[in-house]
């Protein structure tokens, strides 16, 4: 049986707390459970206070067969930041915006080059999506077409150096598919609709539910995981388009990414978001899978953020 655990973002103490509350014990080879395995939905990097320690806990579990882990968009960004193309140019430009985004990871990494290399290598070895007999796991959005394309073009299912170089060079279909899986679906706002987020920045697109059609809905209805409100009026027909919806009769999908705070949890009988936004004032969320095809509210576990206290 499995425990699917949401985005960690360097909150190592809270992660330990979660593992203990799920009945895992810590041994010589890291955390383990006699009957269960943990599954991490990605986003180990950035934000939190102990990124490398969080990575170390998860890596140890994966190395000893006690967990699976997939990558999130923050791993993609960090990997692209540190990977050069054939001409020696970084895939993700080292400008102020990109540097700020990975600041916390960068600061920890620069203290230990050996560890940085070890963790980057390990992140490049993790799968992008995970398909088990009974359910599927993806960081942001399970899209059959994108998965199909990746299966064909990247059968290794990893963010390897050659794959990253290829998609950042081409910026084509494969890049788009990877972004869709790791960042989710976004809706581009019409040019005459000016929207500002909580920071006062102009937004041209926002995150939407990838499991619901948009026809007849309002901009707010289809919004999911945005920190700003959208107009509550119906999206004009001419702006609506069909998205391939995840079927209601297929295996459950677990995902993270959306920073849902107390709203994290079961979206639908076969969809569950386990990102409780722990690094941003929320909690760490997990789902205890006990073999039920239909997801159960009782499966959800929430652990409040444990603040790192100073050792006196
Ligand atoms: Mn994410």
């Amino acid at each position: 049986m499995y425990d699917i655990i949401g985005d960690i973002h360097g909150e190592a103490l809270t992660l330990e707390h979660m593992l203990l509350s799920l009945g895992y014990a810590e041994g010589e080879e890291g955390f383990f459970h006699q009957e269960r395995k943990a599954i991490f939905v990605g986003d180990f990097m950035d934000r939190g206070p102990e990124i490398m320690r969080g990575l170390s806990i998860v890596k140890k579990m994966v190395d000893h067969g006690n967990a699976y882990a997939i990558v999130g968009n923050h791993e993609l960004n960090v990997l692209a930041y540190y990977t050069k193309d054939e001409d020696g140019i970084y895939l993700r430009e080292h400008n102020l915006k990109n540097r700020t985004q990975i600041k916390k990871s960068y600061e920890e990494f620069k203290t230990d080059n050996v560890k940085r290399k070890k963790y980057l290598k390990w992140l490049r070895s993790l799968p992008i999506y995970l398909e088990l007999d009974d359910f599927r796991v993806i960081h942001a959005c399970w899209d059959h077409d994108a998965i199909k394309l990746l299966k064909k073009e990247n059968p290794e299912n990893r963010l390897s150096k050659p794959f990253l170089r290829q998609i950042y060079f081409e910026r084509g279909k494969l890049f788009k598919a990877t972004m869709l899986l790791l960042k989710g679906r976004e809706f581009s706002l019409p040019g005459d609709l000016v929207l500002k987020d909580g920071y006062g920045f102009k937004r041209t697109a926002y995150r939407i539910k990838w499991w619901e059609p948009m026809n007849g809905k309002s901009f707010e209805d289809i919004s999911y995981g945005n920190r700003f409100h959208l107009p509550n009026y119906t999206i004009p027909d001419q702006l609506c388009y069909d998205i391939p919806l995840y079927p209601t009769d297929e295996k459950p999908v677990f995902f993270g990414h959306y920073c849902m705070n107390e709203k994290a949890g079961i979206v639908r009988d076969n969809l569950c978001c386990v990102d409780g936004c722990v690094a941003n004032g929320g909690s760490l969320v997990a789902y205890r899978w006990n073999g039920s095809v239909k997801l159960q509210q009782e499966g959800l576990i929430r652990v409040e953020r444990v603040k790192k206290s100073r050792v006196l």
Side-chain angles (χ1 to χ4, degrees):
M1 291 299 159
Y2 301 97
D3 299 304
I4 302 99
I5 301 175
D7 307 34
I8 294 159
H9 287 301
E11 297 288 345
L13 260 179
T14 315
L15 170 60
E16 288 171 323
H17 219 73
M18 171 60 91
L19 290 166
L20 293 173
S21 24
L22 290 169
Y24 288 70
E26 197 179 8
E28 295 249 309
E29 298 182 334
F31 283 90
F32 68 97
H33 193 293
Q34 299 291 357
E35 287 129 35
R36 309 183 66 86
K37 270 184 196 190
I39 299 183
F40 297 96
V41 301
D43 274 9
F44 312 107
M45 308 303 300
D46 306 333
R47 299 205 176 114
E50 298 181 285
I51 293 157
M52 289 210 283
R53 208 166 76 75
L55 285 172
S56 145
I57 295 168
V58 175
K59 183 177 183 295
K60 238 177 170 179
M61 291 182 77
V62 173
D63 287 350
H64 292 97
N66 294 313
Y68 295 114
I70 60 169
V71 286
N73 55 318
H74 285 260
E75 281 71 58
L76 174 71
N77 285 345
V78 166
L79 286 171
Y81 190 89
Y82 286 102
T83 307
K84 289 174 184 168
D85 66 13
E86 272 100 27
D87 300 323
I89 296 163
Y90 287 107
L91 299 182
R92 204 167 160 79
E93 205 190 316
H94 286 196
N95 58 25
L96 186 65
K97 182 178 152 270
N98 294 344
R99 195 184 288 272
T100 309
Q101 208 169 39
I102 68 147
K103 191 170 175 269
K104 284 281 178 69
S105 305
Y106 173 83
E107 281 169 1
E108 280 201 38
F109 272 170
K110 79 173 179 199
T111 64
D112 194 328
N113 267 326
V114 176
K115 276 193 183 165
R116 187 194 80 212
K117 281 184 185 158
K118 177 180 91 171
Y119 287 127
L120 289 177
K121 189 179 173 196
W122 178 66
L123 294 176
R124 281 194 293 267
S125 80
L126 297 180
I128 300 166
Y129 57 88
L130 197 63
E131 176 143 34
L132 303 184
D133 288 344
D134 295 315
F135 57 86
R136 296 168 167 143
V137 191
I138 188 76
H139 182 64
C141 165
W142 191 281
D143 181 272
H144 282 309
D145 291 336
I147 299 270
K148 204 172 140 191
L149 185 67
L150 251 83
K151 274 188 181 160
K152 187 169 158 261
E153 304 290 337
N154 181 13
E156 277 194 321
N157 187 18
R158 314 268 185 261
L159 298 177
S160 64
K161 278 186 188 175
F163 176 70
L164 287 176
R165 284 180 188 136
Q166 183 193 347
I167 62 168
Y168 275 82
F169 176 74
E170 294 173 350
R171 303 260 174 180
K173 270 186 185 172
L174 206 49
F175 182 86
K176 264 182 135 177
T178 308
M179 292 299 165
L180 179 58
L181 299 176
L182 299 185
K183 293 173 82 174
R185 209 172 265 289
E186 294 200 339
F187 183 87
S188 296
L189 290 161
D192 57 352
L193 185 62
V194 178
L195 208 77
K196 283 183 181 170
D197 64 19
Y199 301 103
F201 291 118
K202 191 177 172 236
R203 306 293 301 220
T204 53
Y206 70 103
R207 296 172 171 187
I208 61 166
K209 297 170 181 167
W210 42 268
W211 50 89
E212 273 182 23
M214 59 181 78
N215 302 72
K217 305 261 175 67
S218 75
F219 288 97
E220 178 68 17
D221 287 339
I222 63 164
S223 162
Y224 192 73
N226 298 290
R227 269 177 236 156
F228 47 92
H229 285 286
L230 285 129
N232 234 330
Y233 57 80
T234 310
I235 307 169
D237 272 348
Q238 61 269 31
L239 295 180
C240 290
Y241 55 93
D242 290 332
I243 52 174
L245 309 170
Y246 190 77
T248 50
D249 58 355
E250 285 194 27
K251 291 180 200 181
V253 176
F254 292 96
F255 56 97
H257 185 63
Y258 290 94
C259 233
M260 294 303 286
N261 293 69
E262 65 286 346
K263 285 187 184 135
I266 298 165
V267 174
R268 203 173 76 183
D269 283 352
N270 67 343
L271 295 175
C272 182
C273 174
V274 286
D275 182 16
C277 213
V278 63
N280 248 320
S283 54
L284 185 60
V285 174
Y287 184 88
R288 300 214 92 185
W289 167 263
N290 280 320
S292 168
V293 182
K294 190 183 161 200
L295 301 180
Q296 319 273 325
Q297 280 303 332
E298 309 87 82
L300 289 165
I301 313 282
R302 286 166 210 275
V303 167
E304 288 312 306
R305 178 168 167 251
V306 184
K307 277 190 197 148
K308 198 183 166 196
S309 56
R310 238 175 251 160
V311 181
L312 296 171

